[in-house]
Amino acid sequence: MQDIRVRAHAKINLYLDVVGKREDGYHNLETIFHSIDLHDDVIIRKQDTMGITVRCEHPGVPSDAANLAYRAVECLSDEVGGIGGVAIDIYKRIPVAAGLAGGSANAAAVLHGVNQLFELGFAQNVLMRLGGQLGADVPFCLQGGAALGLGIGDQLTSLPALSNVSLLLLNPGIEISTASVFKKLNFSLTTPKKTCIIIKTHVEKRNVVGIGENLYNRLEVPVFSEYPEIFTLKNELSTQAGCYGALMSGSGATVFAVMHDANAAHRSELHFKNRVSFCTSTVTSPVGVSVY
Ligand code: ATP
């Protein structure tokens, strides 16, 4: 086998609370992740020349060691004492710096794909540990489906994945750095919060209406105060026919809606299509990475 093609699925957070600041500068989270069908295509090839080549046409995606996909190859190569030349082509569909873990999903796809292509034989739990060294969302992207995430989001407990729940995603074209959002977080503010238990129970019972009504993201407060247009967009999204609830994903700026069905999602997609830089209807996915 000379190459392997891997789908790298985006994630959304159905719930995200920040429960404290750690001494290492990171924050402890309580979050519920779900993989979605929206994905990048990652093609990994063996190449005769030594070294790692990353190609991606998106101007916001680096092609050097700043790319998480590049670092994923380096990480595996270091573990086994070298694997030879590797070329990676990334076809982006997931908006960049959008709260959808696009970079982490690419890294997860590379860990999964390189492990298979070079027959390295790493078990899933080892890949997830290595992924955790690359980024907090990488272990979830490798595991996929639905999960409760604690710690920095890397201590995962699987939940039953929701099958084919319709979603609509909107992004106003604002790229947001996750680190800057956490810096603005004010722990002295008492924000009304929902508890993770409620939404976790609705996920376990596959109660889509209950999920929509209990979506929560603590990071909305600092993001909306800086970008009120994202707040306005979310409010308009939540009033669409067939919308059970809307939320900002991760550190934004993408907002998503849990929709009654694909028809409702498509109707709302037409409503927003020409007004935002990114608008797509999609569904929940049971996997984070898949070879195709
Ligand atoms: P994060 O929570 O890590 O910020 P995100 O989903 O909000 O995740 P990403 O799409 O992962 O955002 O991009 C965050 C930054 O990571 C971008 O500014 C980009 O330059 C950098 N990056 C590194 N590798 C990649 C990659 N393979 N795809 C996209 N962005 C990448």
Side-chain angles (χ1 to χ4, degrees), residues 60-62 66-68 90 92 95-104 106 137 178 251:
V61 177
N67 194 307
L68 277 181
I90 301 170
K92 274 269 156 205
V96 172
L100 298 172
S104 301
N106 293 170
D137 289 344
T178 304
S251 53

Side-chain angles (χ1 to χ4, degrees), residues 174-195:
I174 302 167
E175 290 194 1
I176 296 182
S177 135
T178 304
S180 71
V181 175
F182 276 99
K183 263 192 211 128
K184 283 194 69 193
L185 204 61
N186 187 345
F187 280 100
S188 62
L189 274 183
T190 45
T191 44
K193 64 166 290 224
K194 300 187 179 179
T195 144

Side-chain angles (χ1 to χ4, degrees), residues 228-278:
E229 61 270 42
I230 305 175
F231 175 64
T232 309
L233 197 62
K234 178 194 153 178
N235 280 348
E236 190 178 346
L237 184 56
S238 57
T239 58
Q240 293 296 299
C243 173
Y244 292 139
L247 190 73
M248 185 183 83
S249 183
S251 53
T254 305
V255 288
F256 67 91
V258 176
M259 303 298 292
H260 175 68
D261 60 12
N263 286 337
H266 285 135
R267 269 196 304 273
S268 296
E269 188 178 350
L270 291 177
H271 175 82
F272 287 104
K273 211 176 169 115
N274 298 318
R275 297 173 37 207
V276 289
S277 72
F278 177 82

Side-chain angles (χ1 to χ4, degrees), residues 65-134:
N67 194 307
L68 277 181
Y70 185 111
R71 288 178 33 217
V73 181
E74 256 182 352
C75 172
L76 286 179
S77 181
D78 289 350
E79 282 295 304
V80 297
I83 54 171
V86 181
I88 295 174
D89 287 291
I90 301 170
Y91 297 91
K92 274 269 156 205
R93 288 191 203 87
I94 307 171
V96 172
L100 298 172
S104 301
N106 293 170
V110 167
L111 290 173
H112 185 82
V114 167
N115 189 41
Q116 283 198 17
L117 182 63
F118 291 86
E119 298 177 20
L120 303 180
F122 287 114
Q124 176 78 350
N125 64 328
V126 179
L127 291 181
M128 285 174 62
R129 181 176 53 74
L130 295 173
Q133 295 167 12
L134 299 170

Side-chain angles (χ1 to χ4, degrees), residues 14 162 165 167 194 199 202-203 207-216 234 238 242-247 256-259:
L14 301 173
L162 299 163
V165 171
L167 303 165
K194 300 187 179 179
I199 194 150
H202 287 309
V203 171
N207 178 354
V208 181
V209 179
I211 292 168
E213 287 172 351
N214 288 282
L215 300 168
Y216 175 78
K234 178 194 153 178
S238 57
C243 173
Y244 292 139
L247 190 73
F256 67 91
V258 176
M259 303 298 292

